[in-house]
Amino acid sequence: MKLTATLLGGAVLLTAGACTSSQMPEEDEGSIRHARNTEFSGPHLRVFLTLDDGTDLSVNTTDDAIATMVDETFIPGHEARNWTFVQENEDGIAVVYALVSWDSADPADYLMAGWWAQFHDQGLDDLSFENTTQHAILDGPEIDPDFPPEVPASGRATYAGQAGGLYRYVPGSDFGEDEGAYVLDEWDGMMTLTADFTDGTVSGCIGCVGDLVTRRAHFGVFLWGDVLDVRSVAEGYELHLDAAPMGQDGNFEWASVQVMHPDRKVTHSEGSWGGGLSNLPDAAGNPRLAAGFVGAGFNEADGSTGTFGGAFVTLSEEWDE
């Protein structure tokens, strides 16, 4: 299974190695590319993706959505809805989740977050996670690189919001007869972030405030075979996002994520994270939103291995509608 964590913001595609299988990220992964990956005209959504081999894929709310519901959004003045898509395509099976938050008076003002799991060369009756590519997705005009923010020359801004995505865990010897089984779930948690405009850096943490939790929301429906439920193990993890250099265009990226747990001995962890700042100001004149991606893999003393890959959206504490 190849796991990649990507941020697609406006025309931005930021890619970083979350992990390949249960191993650590490859050295050459971690780059920023530019692409557009959603079209939205409330409430119609199309999500499109180009695979590594050049294959173009897309899903939309008219033809491919199997479930939808009104959702919550913490963006002031917005409403939200989520969709789950399943599509049999030329590459295999796509399972896609998308949450869109938008201004009902101006649907062009939207932010989409979600993920795309591509099950290569597979059919719906025999899905397996072993030959899967996963992408965390974030898109919206507020983080469009063609319209970069005015980054302050000095000062600091703090942000808080949600992060979430896909989680994989292969338990080691501490789990007895369950050693070598697998977990494939979704995760979410509170993220805090600080932009230091004086130093030109951005740093943050997921799970340092509140709990990082996992839940079986989609994959339990599609994956066959026994999937070990050790979601309680995931609770308590923290992803510490080391300071990333920030450019004048408001983009940031860094290959340093530390995975920690109060009860599990993490022997090694690596990862990448990055994102961009909003091109709209808050009440203090700073970018009112910071959004991006995170991907990390880790090993534990008993041989357990795991990966987190996903996206985050955080709002300024000085947000003003």
Side-chain angles (χ1 to χ4, degrees):
M1 179 183 71
K2 180 180 179 183
L3 174 61
T4 59
T6 63
L7 167 76
L8 305 100
V12 172
L13 170 60
L14 300 97
T15 35
C19 291
T20 300
S21 186
S22 59
Q23 304 302 311
M24 296 300 105
E26 297 179 9
E27 293 295 329
D28 59 353
E29 295 187 9
S31 62
I32 297 178
R33 298 174 305 181
H34 297 280
R36 184 79 198 193
N37 291 83
T38 66
E39 294 175 349
F40 181 72
S41 178
H44 179 75
L45 173 69
R46 185 170 80 95
V47 184
F48 45 96
L49 189 71
T50 300
L51 301 180
D52 290 343
D53 64 2
T55 302
D56 293 321
L57 303 175
S58 70
V59 296
N60 67 79
T61 49
T62 300
D63 301 318
D64 307 302
I66 65 167
T68 182
M69 66 175 58
V70 174
D71 211 325
E72 297 181 354
T73 176
F74 57 92
I75 298 179
H78 277 207
E79 59 181 281
R81 178 171 287 274
N82 69 58
W83 290 269
T84 301
F85 306 88
V86 176
Q87 180 195 76
E88 186 170 3
N89 52 50
E90 59 187 287
D91 182 78
I93 301 295
V95 179
V96 184
Y97 172 78
L99 168 63
V100 179
S101 173
W102 76 93
D103 183 346
S104 58
D106 180 16
D109 176 12
Y110 74 93
L111 192 68
M112 176 271 184
W115 47 260
W116 184 305
Q118 186 65 31
F119 295 82
H120 305 287
D121 302 318
Q122 300 184 46
L124 277 173
D125 57 346
D126 61 351
L127 289 183
S128 168
F129 76 100
E130 288 297 339
N131 187 22
T132 307
T133 302
Q134 301 166 20
H135 306 264
I137 301 175
L138 187 66
D139 194 10
E142 192 167 339
I143 47 177
D144 189 334
D146 290 335
F147 302 94
E150 293 186 10
V151 179
S154 61
R156 291 161 60 95
T158 55
Y159 300 82
Q162 289 295 121
L166 300 177
Y167 164 74
R168 185 196 180 210
Y169 190 80
V170 179
S173 59
D174 286 352
F175 293 86
E177 63 182 14
D178 290 324
E179 180 178 1
Y182 69 90
V183 176
L184 184 61
D185 278 335
E186 294 158 63
W187 65 273
D188 60 73
M190 177 66 69
M191 176 169 178
T192 53
L193 183 147
T194 299
D196 190 323
F197 303 115
T198 303
D199 292 343
T201 61
V202 182
S203 58
C205 183
I206 301 170
C208 290
V209 176
D211 293 324
L212 188 158
V213 298
T214 64
R215 55 193 174 90
R216 178 66 48 77
H218 297 85
F219 284 102
V221 177
F222 304 107
L223 294 182
W224 297 92
D226 295 328
V227 179
L228 181 65
D229 184 0
V230 293
R231 64 190 61 189
S232 60
V233 174
E235 297 178 2
Y237 281 105
E238 297 177 356
L239 306 183
H240 292 255
L241 315 176
D242 292 338
M246 175 174 47
Q248 285 301 307
D249 58 0
N251 289 334
F252 50 91
E253 184 179 12
W254 196 239
S256 183
V257 177
Q258 300 182 57
V259 180
M260 301 182 182
H261 194 284
D263 302 317
R264 304 287 300 167
K265 184 177 180 181
V266 177
T267 57
H268 186 69
S269 64
E270 293 183 15
S272 298
W273 76 291
L277 301 178
S278 169
N279 53 28
L280 298 176
D282 63 14
N286 298 318
R288 70 176 190 173
L289 177 151
F293 70 90
V294 60
F298 60 95
N299 296 330
E300 295 176 333
D302 72 330
S304 297
T305 60
T307 62
F308 289 96
F312 62 85
V313 179
T314 60
L315 303 183
S316 165
E317 292 186 351
E318 300 291 337
W319 180 288
D320 183 9
E321 295 184 52

